[in-house]
Amino acid sequence: MIHSLMISKPIQLLLLCTFALFSDVVFADPPYNICSTSISYAKDSSFENNLTNLLSSLSSNASISKFYNTSNGIGPDRVYGLYMCLDYITNESCKTCITTATEDIVKLCPLATEAVVWEEFCLLRYSNSNFIGSLNVTGNIGLDNKQNLSEPEKFESAVNQTISNLTKVASFGVSANMYATGEVPFEDETIYALVQCTRDLIASDCSRCLQSAIGDIPGCCYASIGGRVLSRSCYLRYEFYAFYHGATGPTNSTTGKKESKNNSSKLWMITGIIVVVGLVIVFVIFGLYLVGIKRKRQSKNGIDNHQISLGSLRVATNNFSDLNKLGQGGFGPVYKGKLRDGQEVAIKRLSTCSEQGSEEFINEVLLIMQLQHKNLVKLLGFCVDGEEKLLVYEFLPNGSLDVVLFDPKQRERLDWTKRLDIINGIARGILYLHEDSRLKIIHRDLKASNVLLDYDMNPKISDFGMARIFAGSEGEANTATIVGTYGYMAPEYAMEGLYSIKSDVFGFGVLLLEIITGKRNAGFYHSNKTPSLLSYAWHLWNEGKGLELIDPMSVDSCPGDEFLRYMHIGLLCVQEDAYDRPTMSSVVLMLKNESATLGQPERPPFSLGRFNANEPDCQDCSLNFLTLSDIVPQ
Ligand SMILES: *[C@@H]1O[C@H](CO)[C@@H](O)[C@H](O)[C@H]1NC(C)=O
Ligand SMILES: *[C@@H]1O[C@H](CO)[C@@H](O)[C@H](O)[C@H]1NC(C)=O
Ligand SMILES: *[C@@H]1O[C@H](CO)[C@@H](O)[C@H](O)[C@H]1NC(C)=O
Ligand SMILES: *[C@@H]1O[C@H](CO)[C@@H](O)[C@H](O)[C@H]1NC(C)=O
Ligand SMILES: *[C@@H]1O[C@H](CO)[C@@H](O)[C@H](O)[C@H]1NC(C)=O
Ligand SMILES: *[C@@H]1O[C@H](CO)[C@@H](O)[C@H](O)[C@H]1NC(C)=O
Ligand SMILES: *[C@@H]1O[C@H](CO)[C@@H](O)[C@H](O)[C@H]1NC(C)=O
Ligand SMILES: *[C@@H]1O[C@H](CO)[C@@H](O)[C@H](O)[C@H]1NC(C)=O
Ligand SMILES: *[C@@H]1O[C@H](CO)[C@@H](O)[C@H](O)[C@H]1NC(C)=O
C-alpha cells in the first residue's frame, strides 16, 4: 500500500509523506506521563519494595504477552500494575518497551503512589489502589501531527467514523485482544487508524474509553493529518500512512529529525528528496517482504484470531449457567452464548479428559477449523485456559435433526422435499470429510442428534474431528474400547472395533432410512424375525412391500417410486459386509442421478451390538473418546 501510494504521487505529495513518516519527530518525544502528586510513598518503604518487584515482574511478562495485570504486596503496601503493548509490535519490542517504561516511570514520577507512562509503543501504569478493570478517562493526552489540511471538516468526520467503527470491532468483536486497525480511502489518500484497549476492561468500558478519546480529537488534532490520544486504558492513532505495519521498537528517525530542525529549509528540501527516494525504495522492498512473511505468519495469526478468552465465554454464557445449557454431548456440556458483537454461538465445554497438551490441542483445532463446508457446523474459535478447553461453534436455531424428526408434531415441518434436501446435504458433508477436505476424516458417530438444522432447515453435521482434537493426530484404526451410538454402529465396528469410511456409510444409511420413514432404528422392534428398522425394511423391500414404510406424515408429498429409490440406496449403505457398501461418492451420484441402476442390496446385519446404548458420559471418559471419530492424513 505504501509503495503504490508513494510512487503514484507527485513530488509535493512525496514531501508531505515525508513529513508523515517523520511525524514522530514533530511530536514532543515520548515518554508522556501522568503522576499523582497528592500522596507520595517513603523511600525504602515496603510500598517501594513491592513496587520494584511489581515492575520487574511486569517487564518479565512482557516477553510473552502484550498485556498483563498483577498486584504485589498486602494491605496498604499493596501495589497494582498493568502494561499494554500495541498489538502489532513483536514480543521482543514489547519487552524492550516495557523495560524502558519501568525505568522511566520511577524517574518521571518519583515517589508517586500512582503513575502512568506512555512510551512510543506501550503504556505502563501502577497505583496503590485497585484500578484494574475500572475505567478512568480523565487526563487523556492528545498529540497532533502539525500538518495543515485543506478540508478539515470532511477529514475529521471521516476519522471520527473510521475510529468509531474500529471501536466497535475492538470492543465487541470476536477477537480477544481489544485491538483493531483499519484503512479507509479518503480522497486520494488512505487513512490508517488503530485503536486498542487494555484487556482488563469489559467491552462496554473499552467502547466508552475510545469514545471519550474520539471526543478529544477536535481539541488536540483539528486540521492535523494525524493524531493520537493516549488514555489510561486505551489508545488511538490515525495517520495517512501505515504506521502499524511491522514498525518495531523506538525508531532512529528521531535523531534524524532533530538534526534537520536546525538546518535551513532549502538544505532540508534537498535532504528530504534524497530521503524520500531512498525511503520509496526501502518501502517497496519492505512491502514485498511483508507480503512474503504475511503468508508464513498466517497460521500463527490464526491462533490470535480464533482464540477467545475464558472471561468472554463466561460472560457469553452467564458463567455457564444451566439456563444456557443446550444439552450434554459426548464430550461435555454445550451452552448457548452470545459474544460481545452479539453473535450467537454454541459453546462446547470439553470435559478435561484429554491427555493432550494445549499446544497439540490448538494445532488440531486449527486444522479442524480449516474444514469448511456448508453442510458442516462451523467451528469459530476456541479457548484454552488451564484445565479448561472450549470449542465455539456457530449456533443453529433449529436444533438437531432427532428432535424434529422423532417428534410427531415437529415432524410435520419436514415434507418430502425437505427430507430429500436434508439427506443430500448430509451426504455431501460426509463426502467432503471423506474425500474432499485436506484431511481424511471418518466421523464415527453419525446420527440424527449430530445433524443440526439451520434457519432454512439445511443440515449441518457436528462433532466431526473430535478424536483428533481429543487425542492428537495418531488415532489408531483399531481400538480396544468401542464407543458409538447404539443403532448407528456398523457391525464390524460394534463387534470388532474395526472402522473405515464404510462404517460412516453404514451410519449414513441408517440415518437415511430414519429420515424417510420417520422411525428410529434404535428401539424399533417389529418381530423376532425383524428386530430392527433395517431388517424390517430389508424384508419389506424383498417382498415388494417397501411402500408400507412410508411415513404417513409425508405421504401426501411423497412419490412412491422416489421413496423406493431412497429406500434402496439406504439398504445398499447398511449391508452387513462393509465391502459391499458403496463409497460416499457413489452414494452422492446415486442420489443425484435418478436413472442410475442400483444393485441388489445384501442383508443388513441381523442385530446390532447392544453395548453403550447411551452417549459416553464423562465420569469415565478417559480415552474412550479416541474412538468417536478419526482422521488420517490424506
Ligand atoms: C512487600 O514488601 C514487604 C516489605 O519489604 C516485603 O516483606 C514483602 O515480601 C513484599 N511483598 C511482596 C509480595 O513482594
Ligand atoms: C509474570 O508475572 C508473574 C507474577 O505476577 C510471575 O509469577 C511470572 O513468573 C511472570 N512470568 C514470566 C514469564 O516472567
Ligand atoms: C509472543 O507473544 C505471543 C502472544 O502475543 C505468545 O503467544 C507467544 O508465545 C510469544 N512468543 C514467544 C517466543 O514467547
Ligand atoms: C488481573 O486482574 C484481574 C481482574 O482484577 C484479576 O482477576 C487477575 O487475578 C489479575 N491478574 C493477576 C495476574 O493478578
Ligand atoms: C481518575 O484519576 C484521577 C487521577 O488519579 C483521580 O483524581 C480521579 O478521581 C479518578 N476518577 C475516577 C472516576 O476514578
Ligand atoms: C497552518 O494553519 C494555521 C492556521 O490554521 C496557520 O497559522 C499556519 O501558518 C499554517 N501552517 C502551515 C505550515 O501552513
Ligand atoms: C462505518 O461503518 C458503517 C456501518 O457499518 C459504514 O456504513 C461506514 O462506511 C463505515 N465508515 C468507515 C469510514 O469505515
Ligand atoms: C463523532 O461522530 C459521532 C456521531 O457518529 C458524534 O456524536 C460525535 O460528536 C463525533 N465526535 C467528534 C469528535 O466529532
Ligand atoms: C538506532 O540507534 C541506536 C543508537 O541510538 C543504534 O544502536 C542502532 O543500531 C540504530 N538502529 C538502526 C536500525 O539504525
Side-chain angles (χ1 to χ4, degrees), residues 24-278:
D24 300 345
V25 203
V26 183
F27 292 123
D29 292 325
Y32 309 92
N33 63 284
I34 298 179
C35 316
S36 76
T37 45
S38 46
I39 330 166
S40 49
Y41 61 81
K43 264 215 140 324
D44 300 315
S45 61
S46 300
F47 185 87
E48 180 172 54
N49 184 25
N50 292 339
L51 173 61
T52 309
N53 291 343
L54 175 100
L55 294 178
S56 86
S57 105
L58 287 178
S59 88
S60 70
N61 275 280
S63 58
I64 51 170
S65 168
K66 301 281 160 60
F67 171 81
Y68 192 69
N69 67 263
T70 188
S71 70
N72 199 33
I74 45 164
D77 294 323
R78 185 159 180 187
V79 54
Y80 299 85
L82 65 74
Y83 71 77
M84 169 179 97
C85 288
L86 296 183
D87 209 65
Y88 65 88
I89 69 170
T90 63
N91 291 3
E92 292 79 357
S93 304
C94 180
K95 164 89 178 163
T96 310
C97 193
I98 296 301
T99 304
T100 311
T102 56
E103 289 159 11
D104 288 345
I105 207 167
V106 290
K107 275 188 233 146
L108 293 166
C109 299
L111 306 183
T113 48
E114 216 178 309
V116 199
V117 306
W118 291 267
E119 302 281 349
E120 182 76 40
F121 303 110
C122 63
L123 83 79
L124 174 70
R125 185 176 174 196
Y126 74 81
S127 171
N128 62 343
S129 65
N130 188 358
F131 63 88
I132 292 165
S134 53
L135 180 63
N136 187 337
V137 293
T138 58
N140 290 356
I141 299 174
L143 303 167
D144 67 349
N145 202 340
K146 296 210 171 64
Q147 299 289 321
N148 285 355
L149 280 162
S150 49
E151 289 183 67
E153 252 87 357
K154 215 170 145 198
F155 180 70
E156 294 308 330
S157 132
V159 165
N160 183 349
Q161 234 191 72
T162 307
I163 297 183
S164 300
N165 284 3
L166 292 179
T167 294
K168 282 182 210 130
V169 177
S171 307
F172 304 106
V174 181
S175 155
N177 293 345
M178 291 196 158
Y179 170 80
T181 60
E183 287 143 49
V184 176
F186 179 73
E187 292 174 359
D188 290 336
E189 305 272 6
T190 302
I191 302 170
Y192 296 87
L194 175 156
V195 301
Q196 188 170 348
C197 293
T198 60
R199 278 185 250 156
D200 57 317
L201 293 189
I202 58 171
S204 55
D205 281 345
C206 172
S207 173
R208 281 168 58 203
C209 189
L210 288 167
Q211 269 158 18
S212 147
I214 292 171
D216 291 333
I217 293 175
C220 69
C221 311
Y222 192 72
S224 160
I225 60 159
R228 311 180 201 189
V229 178
L230 314 179
S231 185
R232 286 160 210 255
S233 299
C234 61
Y235 175 94
L236 71 78
R237 182 175 180 188
Y238 58 94
E239 306 285 356
F240 267 153
Y241 67 99
F243 58 93
Y244 50 79
H245 280 292
T248 56
T251 54
N252 284 4
S253 61
T254 310
T255 338
K257 191 162 63 185
K258 269 174 190 161
E259 280 166 9
S260 69
K261 270 181 199 163
N262 300 330
N263 290 337
S264 80
S265 65
K266 201 175 172 191
L267 186 57
W268 190 94
M269 282 268 279
I270 294 164
T271 325
I273 290 167
I274 294 168
V275 169
V276 166
V277 171

Side-chain angles (χ1 to χ4, degrees), residues 392-506:
V392 180
Y393 292 92
E394 66 178 319
F395 174 74
L396 295 168
N398 273 325
S400 61
L401 176 61
D402 63 328
V403 173
V404 181
L405 185 60
F406 302 129
D407 179 283
K409 262 212 106 72
Q410 295 222 42
R411 188 154 81 239
E412 289 176 11
R413 296 159 73 190
L414 301 177
D415 65 13
W416 178 247
T417 321
K418 200 74 241 170
R419 292 189 201 200
L420 299 194
D421 287 347
I422 292 174
I423 291 168
N424 280 281
I426 297 170
R428 283 192 297 265
I430 303 170
L431 176 62
Y432 174 82
L433 291 175
H434 284 184
E435 294 182 18
D436 292 342
S437 66
R438 295 198 309 124
L439 303 159
K440 178 174 172 180
I441 295 183
I442 301 171
H443 189 293
R444 293 227 262 171
D445 200 20
L446 283 172
K447 55 182 170 182
S449 61
N450 273 340
V451 174
L452 307 184
L453 298 170
D454 74 4
Y455 279 104
D456 298 325
M457 305 294 274
N458 295 311
K460 288 172 182 264
I461 299 168
S462 75
D463 265 10
F464 52 91
M466 292 305 280
R468 190 156 185 135
I469 285 174
F470 260 82
S473 46
E474 65 272 22
E476 294 270 292
N478 191 343
T479 42
T481 327
I482 291 161
V483 178
T485 302
Y486 173 66
Y488 293 92
M489 274 184 293
E492 71 276 8
Y493 181 31
M495 306 299 175
E496 298 161 68
L498 293 170
Y499 63 84
S500 67
I501 51 172
K502 295 292 187 75
S503 325
D504 275 358
V505 173
F506 185 91

Side-chain angles (χ1 to χ4, degrees), residues 222-391:
Y222 192 72
S224 160
I225 60 159
R228 311 180 201 189
V229 178
L230 314 179
S231 185
R232 286 160 210 255
S233 299
C234 61
Y235 175 94
L236 71 78
R237 182 175 180 188
Y238 58 94
E239 306 285 356
F240 267 153
Y241 67 99
F243 58 93
Y244 50 79
H245 280 292
T248 56
T251 54
N252 284 4
S253 61
T254 310
T255 338
K257 191 162 63 185
K258 269 174 190 161
E259 280 166 9
S260 69
K261 270 181 199 163
N262 300 330
N263 290 337
S264 80
S265 65
K266 201 175 172 191
L267 186 57
W268 190 94
M269 282 268 279
I270 294 164
T271 325
I273 290 167
I274 294 168
V275 169
V276 166
V277 171
L279 280 171
V280 168
I281 294 167
V282 168
F283 271 80
V284 168
I285 294 169
F286 188 59
L288 293 175
Y289 170 72
L290 278 183
V291 170
I293 60 173
K294 199 171 169 187
R295 293 215 179 94
K296 284 192 197 156
R297 291 226 176 126
Q298 248 153 17
S299 61
K300 188 179 170 297
N301 287 345
I303 297 181
D304 295 339
N305 294 343
H306 298 296
Q307 192 146 15
I308 302 175
S309 73
L310 184 56
S312 43
L313 294 184
R314 281 192 194 283
V315 172
T317 57
N318 284 321
N319 201 13
F320 300 110
S321 133
D322 276 349
L323 290 174
N324 286 49
K325 204 161 162 177
L326 292 170
Q328 175 80 30
F331 304 96
V334 182
Y335 299 85
K336 181 174 176 183
K338 201 167 195 175
L339 296 181
R340 281 196 198 122
D341 58 0
Q343 185 179 13
E344 290 187 319
V345 293
I347 300 169
K348 201 177 281 250
R349 192 180 196 182
L350 303 180
S351 313
T352 51
C353 321
S354 169
E355 306 261 299
Q356 225 183 355
S358 304
E359 200 174 316
E360 280 169 283
F361 174 81
I362 291 171
N363 286 340
E364 299 308 333
V365 170
L366 290 175
L367 276 177
I368 297 302
M369 218 172 263
Q370 289 169 18
L371 303 178
Q372 304 241 351
H373 188 272
K374 68 178 171 145
N375 296 114
L376 298 182
V377 175
K378 223 177 248 143
L379 180 53
L380 301 172
F382 64 95
C383 165
V384 188
D385 190 325
E387 288 282 278
E388 291 274 10
K389 288 180 179 150
L390 301 105
L391 297 174

Side-chain angles (χ1 to χ4, degrees), residues 563-600:
F563 178 86
L564 289 175
R565 207 164 61 79
Y566 271 75
M567 186 171 177
H568 192 164
I569 297 170
L571 288 171
L572 289 172
C573 293
V574 297
Q575 296 174 92
E576 179 155 25
D577 190 340
Y579 184 81
D580 293 336
R581 294 174 214 148
T583 59
M584 273 327 283
S585 54
S586 349
V587 171
V588 167
L589 281 178
M590 291 179 211
L591 291 171
K592 223 177 351 196
N593 183 354
E594 283 171 28
S595 56
T597 43
L598 308 175
Q600 186 63 25

